[in-house]
């Protein structure tokens, strides 16, 4: 029986191959050779006009790109408060290399990205050489396999983060089968955590899940997801490890034009593998979100309700635990220049504990006006927002008013913001006023081969604390000059700025910043002339009323950015390109 | 230091050469390698494009946050921000009230795009902040992840994981 089956398969293959060979010779007669050497001739009523099999031939080709960015940093941090500096004192280097590739082997398309960095700066990385990216993908027809850094976004509550692992996806827009995604991996931030290298040990959270998504009707799309995560490798006796299951259903329904209803319901089961002094327990929680978007004429209305149970746990999704929220937004385009925005958000925390429960109310109103005073580039924004929190704890009542105006006067672009905010807490715990103003002016001039881009930014905050009876003043300004020479591929920028904090009761400070940057794409590098040479230098001086906090930073960075592109394939293909 | 740079560069090029040799063995066809081909420049590579978009969006967010430009910062936050845009906005204002000086240096480790178009950005950061009330300047560093989504043809902040880079006072 088995032998017969193999013979029939072989016959079918042989017939198929012979048919292809003969078909190319004479289009109206198909000669079919059988296994014994006999030839049958079949005349087709209408011969195919094109050799379909040849048309489908795919040439193998590949392209690779290497991007190497290397820089040397020389930092000098001085002063008694140097521990507050974000710079590493001394000479450090940083090399960042990425290799990108893509191509095809017949109908199999692939692409990959391998990246790594090398540094001796402990603030950038603890190890000298580390991997930054390891990702590859192969696609054959409707099937896609991804390995390495994998980001499969099932839904907000179930899976919405990257994993180090692998995934498989089946997707076909034309058939009536659901799209399927299967994923497995570990939720580590870095590859060194996955390799369990020294200084990178951390708890392991292994996740595996599946998502099915389907267009049930032309108006209704739904997805179901299951995700499990298991923790292991406790790093301290007090660490709590979890086993978590999430079952989720999400959907999007468009019953009529302009109306969309979408949402998600998820259920979680969480068991803890208790650490020292903890009791084992299993929690069952749920989370629900429903959103309605109505759009018609000049209006767009958005209504959202969400409730996340206190016992709902998602480690790889996104949710604000123990919160109930409702919000409504209405955007109304009065005419092509005036748009009104209004909204109201209410949310409640500590759903199961009435002693800590609080309600938050956030109404807001705004208007955006373009072509104000009939000026072509003018745009104004005015907005008001209240923020009230009530409950057993002290009541907060904050409100914000903001005015902004952008315009162009002659050749100067201008952007102004003025804000006023009041922060008030019951029981005279807080009564603070914040007045803030910022302006920026910028322009661009072509002086022959040189483009000059001067700019000025200035801002101030006056914060009046009525309880402590003091006014804190924050003043910040900067002056910049950009200078580009496009003909020689040179870009440069100079900036000087100051930030002052004047506080009658706190520690006043005065910070000065100067920076210069220079980027040049030299043409003498021939095939590597996309490379960029750069030089950056900065001097920052931090002075405080308490002198033991003073420090100064001087920094010079120089480097080279080299992209290399390679095309690999048939010679004629390369020439044609 | 130089030894490290040379080792790393050589390793990367070795991988490239081995990959090219493997490719030659598989194709068994006249084979050519073209360097610096403008038709296949790096700018057209999808991974590279995704990294550029992610870098630009993260820089825009950080720049607006550091300069306390609230309106500009919120323009780079999606309407569908998972922890609620309005709540994030209040938290950003509390940050501005509490901190008189904010500077963030970040190094993007990893950028991954999902099949539905979202971009996950994993980054290392060093943040220097001056607490106006305590009169103290501190510097901290860490690793976090931002999820970006395309909205009105611009990539915006869709979700963020702890430790929060923005909204330090609590979302």
């Amino acid at each position: 029986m088995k032998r017969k089956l193999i013979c029939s398969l072989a016959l079918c293959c042989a017939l198929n191959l012979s048919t292809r060979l003969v078909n190319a010779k004479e289009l109206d007669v198909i000669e079919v050779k059988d296994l014994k050497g006999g030839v049958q001739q079949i005349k087709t009523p209408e011969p195919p006009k094109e050799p379909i099999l040849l048309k489908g031939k795919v040439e193998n080709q590949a392209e690779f790109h290497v991007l190497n960015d290397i820089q040397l940093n020389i930092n000098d941090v001085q002063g008694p408060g140097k521990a507050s500096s974000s710079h590493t004192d001394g000479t450090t280097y940083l090399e960042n290399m990425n290799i990108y590739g893509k191509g095809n082997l017949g109908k199999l398309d692939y692409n990959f990205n391998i990246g790594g960095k090398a540094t001796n700066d402990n603030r950038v990385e603890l190890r000298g050489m580390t991997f930054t990216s390891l990702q590859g993908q192969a696609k054959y027809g409707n099937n896609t396999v991804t390995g390495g850094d994998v980001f499969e976004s099932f839904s907000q509550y179930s899976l919405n983060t990257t994993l180090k692992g692998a995934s498989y996806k089946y997707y076909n827009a034309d058939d009536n089968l659901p799209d399927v995604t299967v994923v497995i991996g570990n939720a580590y931030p870095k590859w060194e955590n996955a390799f369990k290298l020294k200084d990178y040990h951390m708890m392991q959270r292994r996740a595996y899940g599946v998502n099915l998504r389907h267009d049930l009707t032309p108006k209704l799309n739904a997805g179901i997801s299951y995700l499990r995560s298991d923790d292991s490798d406790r790093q301290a006796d007090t660490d709590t490890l979890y086993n978590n299951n999430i079952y989720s259903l999400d959907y999007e329904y468009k019953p009529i034009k302009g109306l969309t209803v979408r949402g998600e319901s998820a259920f979680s089961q969480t068991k803890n593998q208790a650490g020292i002094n903890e009791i084992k327990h299993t929690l069952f929680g749920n989370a629900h979100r429903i959103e309605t978007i109505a759009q018609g004429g000049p209006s767009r209305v958005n209504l959202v309700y969400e409730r996340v149970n206190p016992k709902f746990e998602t480690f790889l999704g996104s949710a604000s635990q123990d919160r109930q929220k409702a919000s409504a937004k209405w955007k109304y385009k009065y005419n092509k220049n005036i748009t009104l925005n209004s909204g109201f958000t209410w949310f409640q925390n500590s759903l199961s504990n009435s002693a800590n429960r609080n309600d938050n109310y956030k109404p807001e109103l705004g208007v955006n006006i373009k072509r104000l005073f009939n000026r072509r580039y003018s745009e104004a924004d005015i907005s008001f927002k209240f923020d009230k929190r009530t409950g057993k704890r002290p009541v907060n009542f904050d409100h914000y008013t903001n005015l902004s105006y952008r315009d162009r006067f002659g050749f100067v672009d201008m952007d102004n913001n003025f804000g006023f905010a009041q922060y008030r807490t019951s029981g005279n715990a807080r009564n603070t006023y914040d007045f803030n103003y910022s302006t920026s002016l910028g322009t661009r001039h072509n002086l022959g081969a040189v483009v000059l881009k001067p700019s000025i930014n200035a801002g101030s905050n006056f914060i009046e604390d009525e309880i402590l009876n003091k006014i804190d003043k924050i003043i910040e300004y900067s002056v910049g000059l950009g200078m580009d020479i496009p003909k020689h591929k040179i870009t440069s920028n100079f900036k000087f700025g100051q930030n002052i904090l004047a506080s009658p009761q706190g520690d006043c400070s005065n910070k000065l910043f100067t920076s210069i940057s220079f980027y040049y794409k030299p043409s003498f590098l021939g095939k590597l002339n996309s490379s960029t040479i750069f030089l950056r230098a900065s001097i920052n001086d931090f002075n405080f009323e308490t002198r033991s906090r003073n420090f100064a930073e001087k920094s010079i960075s120089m480097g080279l950015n080299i992209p290399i592109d390679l095309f690999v394939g048939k010679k004629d293909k390369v020439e044609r390109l | 230091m130089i030894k490290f740079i040379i080792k790393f560069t050589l390793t990367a090029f070795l991988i490239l050469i081995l990959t090219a040799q493997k490719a030659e063995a598989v194709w068994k066809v006249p084979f050519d390698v073209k360097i610096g081909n403008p038709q296949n420049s790096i700018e057209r590579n999808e991974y590279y494009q995704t990294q550029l978009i992610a870098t630009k969006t993260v820089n825009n967010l950080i720049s607006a946050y550091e300069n306390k430009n609230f309106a500009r910062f919120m323009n780079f936050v999606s309407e569908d921000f998972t922890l609620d845009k309005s709540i994030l906005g209040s938290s950003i204002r509390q940050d501005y009230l509490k901190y008189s000086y904010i500077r963030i240096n970040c190094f993007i480790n990893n950028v991954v795009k999902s099949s539905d178009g979202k971009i996950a950005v994993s980054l290392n950061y060093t943040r220097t902040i001056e607490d106006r009330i305590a009169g103290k300047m501190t510097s901290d560093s860490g690793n976090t992840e931002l999820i970006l989504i395309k909205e009105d043809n611009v990539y915006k902040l869709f979700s963020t994981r702890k430790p929060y880079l923005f909204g330090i006072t609590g979302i």
Side-chain angles (χ1 to χ4, degrees):
Chain A
M1 184 68 187
K2 208 179 212 176
R3 193 178 290 170
K4 274 186 182 176
L5 188 67
I6 292 167
C7 286
S8 338
L9 279 170
L11 183 64
C12 289
C13 291
L15 283 174
N16 190 22
L17 282 172
S18 312
T19 307
R20 291 180 191 191
L21 291 169
V22 177
N23 191 24
K25 288 182 207 164
E26 199 175 334
L27 294 175
D28 58 339
V29 176
I30 298 176
E31 292 181 343
V32 182
K33 288 180 184 172
D34 62 30
L35 284 175
K36 290 177 183 174
V39 178
Q40 294 178 33
Q41 286 195 345
I42 303 167
K43 196 167 182 175
T44 53
E46 278 187 21
K49 289 178 182 171
E50 287 180 64
I52 293 165
L53 292 166
L54 287 174
K55 191 183 172 186
K57 192 180 171 189
V58 179
E59 285 181 42
N60 293 336
Q61 52 182 294
E63 59 178 81
F64 303 98
H65 307 276
V66 183
L67 185 64
N68 191 26
D69 189 298
I70 184 162
Q71 69 180 67
L72 186 71
N73 305 310
I74 303 162
N75 298 325
D76 179 28
V77 186
Q78 297 288 336
K82 63 192 272 187
S84 302
S85 170
S86 60
H87 285 53
T88 304
D89 200 7
T91 304
T92 59
Y93 66 89
L94 173 64
E95 178 173 17
N96 187 27
M97 177 179 274
N98 273 283
I99 302 171
Y100 309 90
K102 73 169 189 179
N104 69 292
L105 290 168
K107 289 181 179 175
L108 178 80
D109 294 321
Y110 63 85
N111 56 59
F112 64 86
N113 171 214
I114 301 168
K117 68 170 179 261
T119 183
N120 63 344
D121 187 344
N122 283 347
R123 289 191 192 230
V124 175
E125 200 59 70
L126 293 170
R127 281 180 70 87
M129 288 174 76
T130 49
F131 277 109
T132 50
S133 291
L134 277 179
Q135 46 186 309
Q137 193 173 68
K139 193 174 180 187
Y140 188 86
N142 302 317
N143 305 283
T144 307
V145 176
T146 308
D149 291 300
V150 175
F151 181 29
E152 295 297 346
S153 174
F154 284 2
S155 66
Q156 181 186 323
Y157 293 143
S158 58
L159 178 63
N160 193 28
T161 188
T162 53
L163 297 172
K164 312 278 185 221
S167 74
Y168 164 78
K169 189 178 184 78
Y170 173 83
Y171 169 76
N172 187 350
D174 301 326
D175 69 14
N176 200 27
L177 294 170
D179 309 332
V180 182
T181 308
V182 182
V183 68
I184 180 165
N186 293 324
Y188 285 126
K190 294 179 181 177
W191 278 103
E192 286 64 37
N193 304 124
F195 301 147
K196 299 188 189 303
L197 299 179
K198 194 186 167 191
D199 299 327
Y200 287 87
H201 282 283
M202 67 178 291
M203 181 202 73
Q204 176 178 289
R205 174 162 289 154
R206 174 160 296 167
Y208 28 99
V210 60
N211 172 264
L212 300 176
R213 190 164 298 283
H214 193 47
D215 290 327
L216 297 170
T217 71
K219 293 176 181 176
L220 177 64
N221 171 288
I224 53 171
S225 307
Y226 166 70
L227 189 89
R228 181 176 173 83
S229 66
D230 293 320
D231 296 353
S232 59
D233 288 356
R234 179 179 275 126
Q235 300 297 304
D237 291 340
T238 48
D239 286 353
T240 308
L241 304 181
Y242 297 95
N243 302 107
N244 179 252
N245 288 299
I246 294 195
Y247 307 87
S248 157
L249 165 73
D250 65 283
Y251 52 87
E252 187 175 88
Y253 180 49
K254 294 180 177 174
I256 52 170
K257 193 185 170 192
L259 181 66
T260 304
V261 180
R262 65 186 181 194
E264 182 179 1
S265 287
F267 301 86
S268 73
Q269 180 201 33
T270 312
K271 285 182 193 171
N272 71 333
Q273 306 164 31
I276 282 180
N277 300 329
E278 272 193 303
I279 301 164
K280 279 192 176 183
H281 60 253
T282 303
L283 298 175
F284 295 92
N286 56 69
H288 308 277
R289 179 175 52 84
I290 183 163
E291 182 177 5
T292 305
I293 304 157
Q295 194 158 13
S299 285
R300 189 179 194 272
V301 177
N302 186 308
L303 304 169
V304 181
Y305 173 76
E306 183 178 34
R307 184 187 167 89
V308 183
N309 186 284
K311 293 175 182 173
F312 180 79
E313 291 279 6
T314 175
F315 298 112
L316 302 170
S318 181
S320 298
Q321 197 182 27
D322 199 7
R323 181 175 285 178
Q324 183 173 216
K325 184 187 86 176
S327 74
K329 286 177 191 165
W330 177 39
K331 187 175 183 177
Y332 179 71
K333 208 169 167 67
Y334 177 73
N335 60 33
K336 68 176 183 178
N337 292 327
I338 299 175
T339 307
L340 297 162
N341 288 293
S342 59
F344 181 82
T345 302
W346 161 83
F347 70 93
Q348 190 178 54
N349 290 331
S350 302
L351 302 178
S352 59
N353 185 352
S354 56
N356 287 332
R357 187 175 300 164
N358 59 62
D359 287 275
N360 296 263
Y361 306 89
K362 294 172 186 286
E364 55 192 296
L365 183 67
V367 59
N368 174 279
I369 307 166
K370 286 177 183 154
R371 295 186 75 97
L372 191 66
F373 312 122
N374 209 24
R375 295 186 56 81
R376 186 179 170 193
Y377 298 105
S378 73
E379 186 173 347
D381 266 307
I382 305 164
S383 65
F384 305 96
K385 185 177 175 183
F386 292 86
D387 195 342
K388 186 180 180 184
R389 191 186 75 194
T390 63
K392 295 277 168 67
R393 291 191 293 176
V395 174
N396 274 357
F397 188 85
D398 304 339
H399 76 262
Y400 317 97
T401 305
N402 206 72
L403 299 156
S404 71
Y405 181 71
R406 286 175 290 279
D407 205 342
R408 181 182 291 176
F409 293 96
F411 49 82
V412 179
D413 290 313
M414 187 190 73
D415 189 349
N416 286 298
N417 281 285
F418 172 74
F420 166 70
Q422 184 184 14
Y423 303 90
R424 201 149 53 89
T425 303
S426 61
N428 257 359
R430 188 174 66 151
N431 193 6
T432 304
Y433 299 93
D434 178 4
F435 302 87
N436 60 76
Y437 174 73
S438 69
T439 185
S440 66
L441 302 169
T443 184
R444 184 189 166 100
H445 281 287
N446 289 336
L447 294 174
V450 180
V451 181
L452 291 176
K453 295 183 283 188
S455 64
I456 297 172
N457 291 288
S460 64
N461 269 58
F462 284 31
I463 301 164
E464 185 181 356
D465 191 324
E466 291 225 322
I467 307 295
L468 297 173
N469 196 23
K470 65 164 188 168
I471 300 175
D472 289 346
K473 295 171 189 169
I474 303 165
I475 297 164
E476 185 162 343
Y477 69 86
S478 67
V479 183
L481 177 66
M483 190 173 79
D484 299 349
I485 309 174
K487 189 181 170 186
H488 298 291
K489 298 179 180 175
I490 291 174
T491 311
S492 64
N493 194 47
F494 168 79
K495 195 174 176 182
F496 170 78
Q498 188 174 18
N499 173 292
I500 300 165
L501 167 64
S503 174
Q505 289 173 22
D507 196 10
C508 298
S509 64
N510 182 0
K511 307 161 211 90
L512 291 163
F513 317 97
T514 310
S515 68
I516 187 162
S517 59
F518 176 81
Y519 297 85
Y520 174 42
K521 282 191 175 182
S523 52
F524 56 78
L525 289 172
K527 286 186 173 178
L528 302 179
N529 64 8
S530 300
S531 305
T532 307
I533 295 170
F534 62 88
L535 175 73
R536 292 189 289 258
S538 65
I539 300 173
N540 302 327
D541 196 8
F542 296 81
N543 294 293
F544 299 86
E545 202 174 359
T546 309
R547 295 194 170 189
S548 59
R549 289 179 175 167
N550 289 0
F551 64 96
E553 302 167 336
K554 291 172 197 161
S555 175
I556 297 174
S557 301
M558 57 193 100
L560 180 64
N561 172 300
I562 314 169
I564 302 171
D565 307 312
L566 295 102
F567 182 88
V568 183
K570 281 186 179 178
K571 283 188 172 177
D572 61 333
K573 184 74 180 172
V574 176
E575 280 155 16
R576 197 162 64 245
L577 278 168
Chain B
M1 178 190 72
I2 301 295
K3 203 172 83 182
F4 269 110
I5 297 167
I6 293 167
K7 267 165 69 178
F8 194 78
T9 310
L10 287 178
T11 311
F13 275 96
L14 189 67
I15 293 168
L16 192 75
I17 290 161
L18 288 174
T19 321
Q21 283 174 347
K22 180 79 179 164
E24 190 179 16
V26 170
W27 283 309
K28 290 175 186 166
V29 291
F31 177 77
D32 196 10
V33 174
K34 197 157 188 172
I35 301 175
N37 186 357
Q39 274 80 23
N40 291 80
S41 69
I42 194 166
E43 281 77 16
R44 296 174 65 177
N45 185 277
E46 197 187 341
Y47 279 129
Y48 179 71
Q49 284 175 351
T50 307
Q51 285 185 349
L52 278 188
I53 290 166
T55 307
K56 191 180 167 190
T57 310
V58 171
N59 284 344
N60 282 337
L61 279 161
I62 289 175
S63 167
Y65 184 64
E66 284 180 338
N67 293 323
K68 298 189 175 183
N69 192 334
F70 179 79
R72 185 169 160 78
F73 179 84
M74 295 311 285
N75 272 342
F76 293 115
V77 178
S78 163
E79 291 298 323
D80 295 326
F81 181 70
T82 54
L83 303 176
D84 196 284
K85 187 174 179 176
S86 176
I87 296 169
L88 174 70
S90 299
S91 182
I92 297 292
R93 286 186 188 276
Q94 297 292 338
D95 289 355
Y96 290 169
L97 181 69
K98 188 173 180 189
Y99 302 112
S100 48
Y101 172 79
I102 304 170
R103 285 294 178 273
I104 298 171
N105 289 325
C106 82
F107 182 90
I108 293 180
N109 271 323
N110 189 315
V111 175
V112 196
K113 194 172 185 178
S114 71
S115 53
D116 63 354
K118 293 191 192 95
I119 297 175
V121 188
S122 166
L123 51 90
N124 289 2
Y125 66 85
T126 305
R127 180 171 49 199
T128 305
I129 47 176
E130 183 184 42
D131 189 324
R132 178 182 60 84
I133 297 156
K136 197 175 173 186
M137 184 168 269
T138 52
S139 185
D140 70 323
S141 55
N143 181 271
T144 191
E145 187 182 64
L146 308 175
I147 309 288
L148 312 175
I149 194 170
K150 200 171 186 179
E151 193 177 278
D152 303 327
N153 280 325
V154 179
Y155 271 90
K156 297 184 178 182
L157 183 66
F158 175 70
S159 185
T160 174
R161 299 193 80 76
K162 286 181 181 171
Y164 296 135
L165 193 59
F166 314 112
I168 315 164
T169 44
I171 300 175

